[in-house]
Amino acid sequence: KSLHDIRLCNSIEQSTFYACSSRLYCVVALIMVSLESTVDTGHDEMIHDAAMDYYGRKLATCSSDRSVKIFEMSENGVQTLVADLKGHEGPVWQVGWANPKYGTILASCSYDRKVILWREDSPGRWNRLYEYTGHDSSVNSVSWAPHELGLALACGSSDGAISILTYIDSANNWKAEKIPNAHTIGCNAVSWAPYLFQQTERRFVSGGCDNLVKIWKYDHKESKWVEECKLEAHSDWVRDVAWAPSLGVNRSVIASCSQDRRVIIWSNDGGVGSTSWTPRTLNTFDDVVWHVSWSVSGNMLAVSGGDNKVTLWKETLDSQWVNISDVSKGQGASQSSGPAQTGTGPPLPVAAVGSS
Amino acid sequence: MAQDTASTSGASNSQDRVLSSTLSRQWSSEIISAEHIDLQATAMGLDCSGQIVLLGGKKYLGLVKLDYETPTLEVTSKLNRPTTKWEACKISWNPDIGSKEVVGMAWNDRVELFKVQPHSIASMDQLRFHSRVITDFDWSYEDPNVLASASLDSLVYQWDIREPSTPVLTLNGMVPITHVRWNRHNPHHLATTHEGEVKIWDNRRLDMPTRFISMQSSRILSLDWSRNSAHKFVTSGQDCTVKCFDLATDHKNPKKVLKTAAPVLRARYTPFGEGLATVIIPQLHRNDNTLFLWNSQHLQSPVHCFFGHKDVILDFDWRRLEGSDDMEMITWSRDHTLRLWQVPVALQNQCGGKGCSTKTSVSNESDCDEKEDDDINNYEEKHDNSHPPPLEPQDSFEELDVDKTLTRSGGLELLKEEEEQQQQLQNNLDTAFIVPSRESTPLRQLERKNSSILAQEFQSLDMSRIKYITIENLDWARRTCRLSASFLGKITFHKIFLRITFQRDYPLSCPMFAIGRGTTLDSASKASIVDAMKMTAGQHVRRNLICLEPCLLQLEALIDQMRKGGGGESFTSSSDILSMRNSLPGQGEALKNNTPPPNPFPLAVDGNPEMLEGDMGNLPDSNVPYPKLSGARFCSNDLLVCFCQTDSVSKMVRSSPGNTLILTPRALPAFETSYHLTQQLDIMNGMRPMNARSGQFRQSPSKYQSSSSNLTCNSSSSSLVGLKHAGESGSLKTTGRFNICRVRSGSTEDVKGPLSRRPSNTAAPIKDCKIDKGSVGAKVAVYNISDLMPFRKSLAQGYFLPHGPLQDRKRCCLENAKLAAKESYVQRATVWNICGQMMDKIQHKSNKNEIPWAVHPLGRPLLEKMIQNLLVNWDIQTAALVVCFFKPFNPPKSRIPPAVSVTIHQSPVVPKPLSPRRQASLMSPLNEPRGRHSRSPSWGQRANTPWYMRPGALPAHSSNSPYHTIHISSTTTNEGASNTGLARIFGNTPTLGSQSNLEQYFSPNPRESRSNSWSEAKEEEVEVPSPALSEEVKEDVFMEQAEVSDILDPAKSIYHDRLKLGYANVLQNWGLLIERCALLKNLNKMPSQRHIGLEMTVNCDHCGLDSGFQAQCSYCFKFKMRCSICQLFVKGLALNCQACGHGGHMIHWQQWFQDQRECPTGCGCACSDQSQ
């Protein structure tokens, strides 16, 4: 077996139709998550982010070596380096793909205070579409707005400000709206709220060094971004925030992770515009948590942090969070002693990572 | 002993720190700077009188005159050099005042001598004998005619400049030489450096060096002899250390070691005192181009920073001002600026200069203490500031892996030095009293400033994280702070009273702590509290940071521990306190500000803690988060992209036994210090422009490589250890292939040892941790997690949709069930089977008197429950499709004549009770379904109002929803009798008139019933511009009707549309565009946004007018488009090429392009290629 096969368990299908019956019937299956491919990026320095494009055909990686590399992933798992984008003068922290309906556009942000938008003008030929230099310190995060809202990018910087770049017209004009001092000390992450059909509000969430998670909303009357909500629960820098995709389900969930080693799931069951968010700690990890990412379906969360571990968490039927990708024997018990085990849900077997 | 040194030196220096303009480390900017980009100079030299600076570059030599009074940094004279590709490597003036106009410049394989007058430069000679690039040369301090040059050809030549043709002496160093320096006191001695070793030569003994000092294979970046002693020299190395050697005592091991955050490019003694100036190689191209000034006797923290250059400082020199003790420093940096800095006497004194006297704060403090502390008697213990904190970090040399005997001898020596210093201090003190006037003014200023600092600190005190402590009194005028804390210990209730007194020079010296009366702790605990506080305070104060808040946090932590452990019991050891402090969750601030050993970041500890942690608050990067080195991101629909690198160090620390928590630091500066050795190497090469460009290192690549391969060899054992640990803590990623770390030799045992538990500063001597370059670029792994997702692509491809090829909805459902069953998704299959059965009932329900689906127990409630359950399981795929199937067929939208709608309005069905006739009809025999038994009794008993008609019987959320759309089933759909409720109800309502009337009214617009594409639906919307308001009113009316009739709650239609759009996104992501369009046809309400993109119109072939979208021209009434293949007119679906414009019937064109590439008209256009 390959070293990289991870076994994850998953409750695939649960009772959906015995409406009158309160008993929930649960099937637990072990599924192999298969390693599709490994890419040797060839970066001279460490990688800080990697992202696949919308269709999962291109991989972008960014690194301290100041470059962004694009790999084309073919069907058979072979990847070819198609572009090595140089233009940043500092380590590149994050990359993000725009929706393909706007063309092949990649945003990258860097320590050098710049945000660069790259576009593939013709196959294999990448050009700088736009460069934004409105920040006074390292830009730590970029996030594209849902494509339904147009081509817009939010950038969070260590100067405490958040910029929203909006594409105006075909002449490559971009409008930059800046929220100064969005987070005192610095902003570490931004993430847009998913678009809901027939909903006009634009929102995004940001996390910063002031230990806060803030929700911003575009006020159409004043035509500016206003702080809608301030979520306090973390006791140290918030490192990443991620607004869960909704897939049409009317609920708002935000995951935030922090230097205080916790991942907090904020949920808002209220209707549109409700500002009551309830925090729930997903788990307290062994080390600081750097990154959270939601799956498209919004029911799985990938968490990674300073201990270089990646864990996958899944919400069960009784809305407990279970670690479905647990590590080897010894640590397994302590790891999964999160809220999941104490819940009343069916015990989910935890499989080991095949690390011989 | 070591602690004493630290604290006393802190006290003696404190006065001088008046200069400091910030609370933190003192720094200053240049007084003058000038930019000389045109010179492109890479080397600078200051003549011995300090009045002329020569800048040398590839093309020019520039002369800058520095007057004493009004120095301007303008270039006074410029000399064009003969065209050459060689940079100036070094410029050095003759140090002898007699021949001070002679200056040498090394480039390529020669040293060129110039005679420089204040306004002219003239070339004299070229000393040319080396066979390879000269790396360094140095003038003898004794004989003005002698200089020594070193080269990569591994030879040192000694020249007499009167005889420039051949060298007078040759020393063979065997390996390439990077530096050569004459001893300043012994004219026969000179030192050379070779990669990782220093050789001391006597020029009377040419065959071999007299001394040979190995630096354990780390590259040496600079070397300088002491100005005060013939035996002392300092080196700086690639391993981030600056080592001070004293050959008189030990010629093998350094006497003192300063560990820095980054490799030091230049470390030189200052012409005053025992100062040491260092320039580090900045990392990540950060602007950390500060020149640090140290006292070589006390390397705990830099004395001063010279801040301002924007790039690496290439060279610097000093000059003494005439008639003054002040000095100036001149620096040349790669940012092409020449800067002049002031070095006042006070600063020189801090470096151990013996110029002016200072009044020490010790006496001062005690004076004011006596005066101010009127209620001092209330306090049992008074800890004097001079009393050493118990757990001071030990002197830096102890942390390094020098051998133990040496450590001891070094310790003894330190003791001696310390005594000397105290002696000196005493002297200073005496003189201070003799000349009080000189110091009085600044002292008062200092006091005033410090009071305000204290006031500021009191004001800014953040009590949000403080639970137990209450501040009773903050008196900045009297410089005291009184606290009390009460808490429940394990057994009893405890109270602590603490009084903190700040000295006048407070941010520079440690405040005093005294436990007040009434404290209910045992004496050991009291002592430990005071000790811990002093230690915390000391750590901050030494870095010029304010310390009240950290102290409070520390006290909080102690109390917390006492509450958990036994109250009032003494702490076992100070290290317990420390470890406890570290383990406090969420005390990031405390972690950051206190830099207690064990440090969260080991390299930071055994590096230079002051550099690192002290900088945290000041450097611009302190708020830039620590880079993410690992991550996982869900991409596309079903991919998980993972990347991670092993931070080998933290890995090792973490895998060490013991549960002490070591957190990854949060800000960038900590990262840079440790992880960028590879980059440092790169920068190193780039940093020395001459060398790099002249290809010096390229010429000897083997050397460079051999040293690094050496490094990896040494590390093989330890890298195994690292890997093993990585494996033990095995995670998703740490399976070895991702992270191969290599650790330098010497750290192996520390890898295994309880690194984190080491008390004090004696953390592991990991010198550097080099991450192998081959693996540093780490891999990215892409996992396919499609099996974890709640939707399946195979199903998406196979499912039938309404309006698809299979028209019968029931059959669609059953086919879907079959498909799901085939793929062994049992429960999905069951869902589809149920849907099929429901569909069957809906489609074939003929009895008009049946109960409407909205209230049928197996109707809407079941369906909604089912959808809800699907969504709980995140199965949006099935949910969206089910919603599509049960969508009311072909909503008539806003085509209702107003007259009729009014009639309907008059007979609202819900919630008013119906007329008796209607009730009767509803009570007529029903096709009673299964599962309705529980309901049936009440059904029969309450005759006058059927349960489903009563308020509350229906889902409550319906009509007040903000999203109102019309969904009324029509009776004449292709599917036949799909409509169930509405028509039936209407039929039984007397006010509504005849059935035929209704049918006519509900018969859908022919266009709509054919509607099978997005564009047509849109067009339709555009076509019928109806006033929005009246429409809404109508919608409301119909809503109430439809509510009862539709199996899906129309109030939720927007919600259902969101489901469909959500699933449409999933489909699009899979590239299933056809399926997506088929799905989106089932939307209740089309997205309001119009199609953005190309809108085609066809201009009439005959009259040339644009006549919109009809097949016939609206002007000449001829058909506009002719098929290029059959030559007949096209009336419907057409295909045409946008490149050449030709087109025709879709079928013909499809046939044509099955085996053709070019246009059938013969125009030569490769239409099929164009379309890709």
Side-chain angles (χ1 to χ4, degrees), chain B residues 611-756:
Chain B
M611 281 271 311
L612 255 180
E613 301 292 328
D615 279 354
M616 289 295 235
N618 311 327
L619 282 178
D621 280 347
S622 60
N623 59 345
V624 178
Y626 194 87
K628 296 169 183 170
L629 302 177
S630 68
R633 190 191 275 260
F634 287 102
C635 292
S636 193
N637 259 357
D638 39 22
L639 295 175
L640 178 68
V641 180
C642 296
F643 66 94
C644 98
Q645 287 107 340
T646 294
D647 136 22
S648 53
V649 181
S650 71
K651 183 69 62 193
M652 282 181 284
V653 168
R654 199 159 291 106
S655 58
S656 69
N659 294 322
T660 321
L661 252 152
I662 310 272
L663 294 186
T664 309
R666 60 184 181 186
L668 185 64
F671 170 75
E672 294 172 5
T673 52
S674 51
Y675 289 95
H676 274 255
L677 284 151
T678 30
Q679 182 161 8
Q680 284 157 23
L681 286 173
D682 295 344
I683 292 179
M684 240 327 279
N685 289 340
M687 275 286 298
R688 309 177 68 199
M690 178 264 159
N691 294 343
R693 281 175 214 161
S694 64
Q696 176 184 347
F697 286 101
R698 266 173 246 138
Q699 284 173 17
S700 59
S702 58
K703 170 139 299 306
Y704 193 60
Q705 280 167 3
S706 73
S707 80
S708 68
S709 71
N710 189 12
L711 198 146
T712 49
C713 281
N714 288 343
S715 67
S716 57
S717 60
S718 43
S719 76
L720 276 178
V721 175
L723 280 181
K724 204 179 101 210
H725 281 289
E728 274 169 14
S729 65
S731 67
L732 207 75
K733 314 303 311 307
T734 52
T735 42
R737 255 171 72 186
F738 280 96
N739 28 60
I740 297 159
C741 57
R742 297 209 162 138
V743 185
R744 303 253 340 228
S745 64
S747 60
T748 315
E749 72 279 1
D750 298 294
V751 171
K752 295 171 186 161
L755 212 160
S756 53

Side-chain angles (χ1 to χ4, degrees), chain A residues 3-4 6 8 10 12-17 19 25 27 31-56 59 61 64 66 73 91 93-95 111 137-138 140 147-148 158 185 188 196-199 209 235-237 239-240 247-251 259 261 286-288 290-291 293-302 304-310 312 314-315 317 327-328 331 353 355, chain B residues 284-286 585-586 588 621-637 639-641 643-647 651 654 661-668 671 675-676 678-679 728-735 737-738 771 776-785 787-792 825-828 830-831 834 862 865-866 869-874 876 963 1054-1055 1057-1059 1061-1062 1065-1066 1068-1069 1085-1087 1089:
Chain A
L3 278 180
H4 294 285
I6 327 156
L8 302 168
N10 178 25
I12 350 167
E13 300 210 311
Q14 283 151 341
S15 162
T16 52
F17 41 87
Y25 164 66
V27 176
I31 296 174
M32 297 287 284
V33 166
S34 56
L35 179 75
E36 195 119 295
S37 56
T38 32
V39 186
D40 199 347
T41 56
H43 278 292
D44 295 337
E45 290 293 332
M46 28 204 81
I47 301 178
H48 299 307
D49 196 17
M52 292 279 239
D53 72 341
Y54 184 80
Y55 293 113
L59 172 75
T61 60
S64 271
R66 287 169 263 157
M73 317 286 283
W93 297 139
Q94 205 176 17
V95 287
Y111 175 79
S137 183
S138 164
N140 302 320
H147 64 93
E148 294 91 345
S158 280
I185 313 179
N188 293 341
L196 273 182
F197 180 52
Q198 300 245 319
Q199 178 184 311
C209 300
S235 56
D236 207 335
W237 290 12
R239 286 304 306 267
D240 200 5
L247 275 193
V249 184
N250 192 13
R251 60 161 213 165
Q259 193 74 18
R261 304 181 289 128
D286 291 343
D287 201 346
V288 302
W290 283 331
H291 195 67
S293 171
W294 289 100
S295 70
V296 183
S297 49
N299 64 333
M300 269 192 290
L301 187 70
S304 63
D307 51 2
N308 275 305
K309 284 178 199 164
V310 174
L312 295 186
K314 187 168 176 167
E315 195 175 3
L317 270 186
V327 291
S328 60
Q331 283 192 320
V353 177
S355 65
Chain B
L284 283 167
H285 285 244
R286 274 185 31 207
D621 280 347
S622 60
N623 59 345
V624 178
Y626 194 87
K628 296 169 183 170
L629 302 177
S630 68
R633 190 191 275 260
F634 287 102
C635 292
S636 193
N637 259 357
L639 295 175
L640 178 68
V641 180
F643 66 94
C644 98
Q645 287 107 340
T646 294
D647 136 22
K651 183 69 62 193
R654 199 159 291 106
L661 252 152
I662 310 272
L663 294 186
T664 309
R666 60 184 181 186
L668 185 64
F671 170 75
Y675 289 95
H676 274 255
T678 30
Q679 182 161 8
E728 274 169 14
S729 65
S731 67
L732 207 75
K733 314 303 311 307
T734 52
T735 42
R737 255 171 72 186
F738 280 96
I771 293 167
V776 80
K779 288 176 183 164
V780 174
V782 181
Y783 294 92
N784 189 335
I785 51 153
D787 285 347
L788 285 174
M789 300 309 275
F791 28 75
R792 299 279 175 277
Y825 297 113
V826 188
Q827 282 149 27
R828 285 185 176 100
T830 323
V831 169
I834 293 175
L862 173 64
K865 190 77 188 169
M866 204 157 74
N869 260 328
L870 283 168
L871 289 179
V872 163
N873 280 291
W874 302 93
I876 188 166
Y963 310 107
I1054 182 122
Y1055 173 69
D1057 275 358
R1058 285 177 180 172
L1059 280 182
L1061 284 166
N1065 274 340
V1066 173
Q1068 185 172 20
N1069 213 322
K1085 186 172 184 182
M1086 295 299 163
Q1089 69 177 56

Side-chain angles (χ1 to χ4, degrees), chain B residues 1038-1066:
Chain B
F1038 277 91
M1039 181 66 63
E1040 289 175 0
Q1041 305 290 344
E1043 201 172 277
V1044 200
S1045 63
D1046 282 352
I1047 191 158
L1048 279 175
D1049 189 353
K1052 287 187 179 171
S1053 71
I1054 182 122
Y1055 173 69
H1056 295 144
D1057 275 358
R1058 285 177 180 172
L1059 280 182
K1060 292 170 201 164
L1061 284 166
Y1063 180 50
N1065 274 340
V1066 173

Side-chain angles (χ1 to χ4, degrees), chain B residues 42-63:
Chain B
T42 50
M44 181 207 70
L46 179 70
D47 81 331
C48 63
S49 67
Q51 285 175 295
I52 302 175
V53 170
L54 185 67
L55 293 167
K58 209 186 280 185
K59 290 182 181 157
Y60 305 106
L61 283 178
L63 208 58

